[in-house]
Amino acid sequence: MSEGNENIRFPSYEHVSMNQGEKEDVYSRLVESMEKKGRKKQRLVPTLLTALLAALFILAGGYLLLNTVMTDQTASREGEVKEVLERIFTGPDDELASLMEQEDRYIEEGNREEYFDLFLSYYKDLFRPYMSPDTIEQYVNESKLSIQVFTYTDGYHLKAEKIDVKLDKKREESYSFTVDVRYEKEGGKRGTVKVSGDMAVDEEGMISSIRYRDEELWGENGLIEKTR
């Protein structure tokens, strides 16, 4: 050690002394401090577990709620597709039959446009809950909704006897379907044809697309051919 450091004096604690009462007081404070820390840890563990369980419960509940909503929505839209198919392949009712029977008169009187307006108005009223007016008009012109017109020309009535609809998992908001369509004519033929296809539903729940298997409607053994 250098001479400069010889004169440095560090504080000494040797002179510090405690009587028995002071020692016991320090000891009790130390024990109390340690117990408090232990209690905090004990309280922290169940608190964390409770928070974790609550988070899991919320996540599980949210998943179940979302799953329930999606299931209900799918079931609702499947039901709407069934109702549309029921209306397409059952009939004609008295109103449509009466209108069709007056077609020749309207045409002979030069009121073709008036007749078509009445005809279109019938279909708009029938399918308004499920499609937009523009979509209805388009599908009437494309003979996707007005199939009964072709079968009733020869006096046949249709009945949708069995309808199966299910969500197509490969195509978003698309539902595949099959319909057992019974055709019958008083004093004439009767039978059943299976018609299948798919319908798409838009974000607002309105039907935006209808497709049939052409051969089941227009083919040699299709519904239209069998009702001639």
Side-chain angles (χ1 to χ4, degrees), residues 10 12 14 40 117 154 159 197 200 209:
F10 291 97
S12 174
E14 294 178 357
K40 288 182 179 179
D117 288 343
D154 290 312
K159 172 67 176 176
S209 171

Side-chain angles (χ1 to χ4, degrees), residues 152-219:
Y152 189 66
T153 298
D154 290 312
Y156 283 89
H157 280 79
L158 305 180
K159 172 67 176 176
E161 292 193 324
K162 181 182 178 183
I163 304 174
D164 291 320
V165 176
K166 62 180 179 179
L167 179 66
D168 186 345
K169 297 181 179 179
K170 295 181 179 179
R171 299 176 59 207
E172 186 176 358
E173 295 301 336
S174 181
Y175 297 83
S176 59
F177 64 80
T178 59
V179 188
D180 290 343
V181 184
R182 182 170 179 78
Y183 60 90
E184 184 175 356
K185 179 181 180 179
E186 186 175 354
K189 298 183 297 181
R190 62 183 63 185
T192 302
V193 175
K194 186 180 294 292
V195 178
S196 58
D198 61 75
M199 288 191 191
V201 180
D202 64 21
E203 295 178 354
E204 297 178 353
M206 305 293 278
I207 292 172
S208 57
S209 171
I210 302 176
R211 298 191 303 178
Y212 304 108
R213 291 183 183 273
D214 286 344
E215 65 272 18
E216 295 173 351
L217 276 180
W218 311 101

Side-chain angles (χ1 to χ4, degrees), residues 5-20:
N5 293 331
E6 290 180 355
N7 296 323
I8 297 176
R9 294 290 184 269
F10 291 97
S12 174
Y13 295 97
E14 294 178 357
H15 66 281
V16 177
S17 62
M18 293 185 291
N19 58 38
Q20 185 64 29

Side-chain angles (χ1 to χ4, degrees), residues 96-158:
L96 180 58
S98 175
L99 185 60
M100 291 178 62
E101 290 165 1
Q102 299 179 65
E103 180 180 6
D104 291 342
R105 178 176 65 80
Y106 275 94
I107 293 175
E108 290 173 1
E109 295 175 354
N111 295 322
R112 183 186 296 271
E113 291 185 4
E114 181 183 352
Y115 175 78
F116 181 75
D117 288 343
L118 291 171
F119 185 73
L120 183 59
S121 178
Y122 167 84
Y123 280 100
K124 285 184 176 180
D125 289 342
L126 188 64
F127 292 104
R128 192 181 305 278
Y130 313 101
M131 305 175 210
S132 70
D134 289 342
T135 300
I136 295 171
E137 183 170 356
Q138 176 187 343
Y139 289 163
V140 167
N141 288 328
E142 294 175 358
S143 301
K144 291 182 177 181
L145 301 179
S146 51
I147 292 170
Q148 298 170 31
V149 172
F150 299 93
T151 57
Y152 189 66
T153 298
D154 290 312
Y156 283 89
H157 280 79
L158 305 180

Side-chain angles (χ1 to χ4, degrees), residues 31-94:
V31 171
E32 182 180 356
S33 176
M34 293 176 67
E35 288 178 347
K36 285 182 179 179
K37 290 181 180 180
R39 286 195 296 270
K40 288 182 179 179
K41 289 182 179 179
Q42 290 175 352
R43 288 197 299 268
L44 182 61
V45 171
T47 300
L48 290 175
L49 288 175
T50 300
L52 178 60
L53 290 173
L56 291 173
F57 179 79
I58 291 171
L59 289 173
Y63 172 78
L64 291 173
L65 178 61
L66 179 60
N67 186 60
T68 300
V69 170
M70 294 299 291
T71 301
D72 290 346
Q73 185 181 67
T74 298
S76 175
R77 290 183 175 175
E78 287 179 355
E80 290 175 357
V81 171
K82 284 185 178 182
E83 290 176 11
V84 169
L85 292 168
E86 175 80 25
R87 298 186 182 201
I88 291 174
F89 291 105
T90 298
D93 59 16
D94 292 342

